[in-house]
Amino acid sequence: MSEEDKEIYYRTYFGQSHDYYYDKLEQYQAGRKFTFNFYAFFLGLPWLLYRKMNRFALFLLVAVVGQSILLSYLLEQKYINTTNAFWYERGAMLFWGLVTGFFANYFYMRQAQREVDNAIAATPNEDTALELLSQKGGVTFIPHIVIAVMLLVLLLMGQ
């Protein structure tokens, strides 16, 4: 099946923003692998979870927490002062925002290709494949709700 024949599968996977992401997919397939995503830059982890990009979100979370632990250690050991720590933190925020902004579409296109290929291979029926893609793709607020409930419980436990 050609990439043009797969258009409906991709559009189903991308959900409501299918025009924007299908355009990005065409750019990706034409060789322009890295395009900037302003939503990913400004929203970072929440945007990744919203787009069901859990692997990238986990990587980003581990990287940011690791960087935070390292910065706390350097501050505690007095290798850096609070002013420098403040600027390192701001620089790291900008760095991770840029990494997320530049790599988000790349990883999202790779994920979309993998999911579409898997759905087509797993289900010979087009309707079943499209249903599977609509469940695997699109967007979700479930991680955001879970995190909000967890924060609320922690807040209430601290009272």
Side-chain angles (χ1 to χ4, degrees):
M1 178 180 297
S2 72
E3 291 300 317
E4 289 146 3
D5 293 337
K6 292 181 183 178
E7 181 175 351
I8 188 145
Y9 294 98
Y10 284 114
R11 289 185 178 276
T12 301
Y13 180 80
F14 293 140
Q16 289 183 327
S17 301
H18 56 77
D19 289 335
Y20 172 82
Y21 287 108
Y22 193 75
D23 179 54
K24 294 299 177 191
L25 178 68
E26 288 176 330
Q27 291 175 21
Y28 176 83
Q29 290 170 339
R32 189 167 175 221
K33 302 289 184 193
F34 300 99
T35 56
F36 194 75
N37 187 312
F38 288 100
Y39 290 110
F41 173 76
F42 286 110
L43 300 175
L45 190 62
W47 181 86
L48 292 171
L49 294 172
Y50 176 71
R51 278 279 155 198
K52 299 180 182 179
M53 296 182 62
N54 300 329
R55 288 181 185 152
F56 192 3
L58 181 61
F59 163 77
L60 184 63
L61 182 64
V62 168
V64 169
V65 168
Q67 168 247 301
S68 244
I69 291 169
L70 177 63
L71 192 58
S72 294
Y73 173 78
L74 293 174
L75 193 56
E76 186 178 296
Q77 296 300 314
K78 301 196 186 307
Y79 290 117
I80 59 172
N81 60 34
T82 53
T83 303
N84 287 341
F86 172 82
W87 289 110
Y88 290 145
E89 184 180 350
R90 294 304 176 263
M93 286 174 51
L94 179 62
F95 172 77
W96 290 118
L98 289 170
V99 165
T100 305
F102 277 109
F103 284 93
N105 286 339
Y106 171 77
F107 285 115
Y108 193 50
M109 294 308 110
R110 287 186 53 185
Q111 179 175 309
Q113 284 182 321
R114 183 176 53 252
E115 293 295 344
V116 166
D117 290 343
N118 289 344
I120 291 170
T123 56
N125 182 339
E126 182 178 323
D127 292 334
T128 308
L130 291 174
E131 178 63 31
L132 179 65
L133 287 171
S134 70
Q135 291 171 3
K136 292 219 174 223
V139 296
T140 184
F141 283 108
I142 292 173
H144 304 87
I145 294 167
V146 169
I147 291 169
V149 168
M150 288 171 49
L151 289 174
L152 181 62
V153 167
L154 288 172
L155 186 71
L156 293 174
M157 286 175 57
Q159 294 292 329

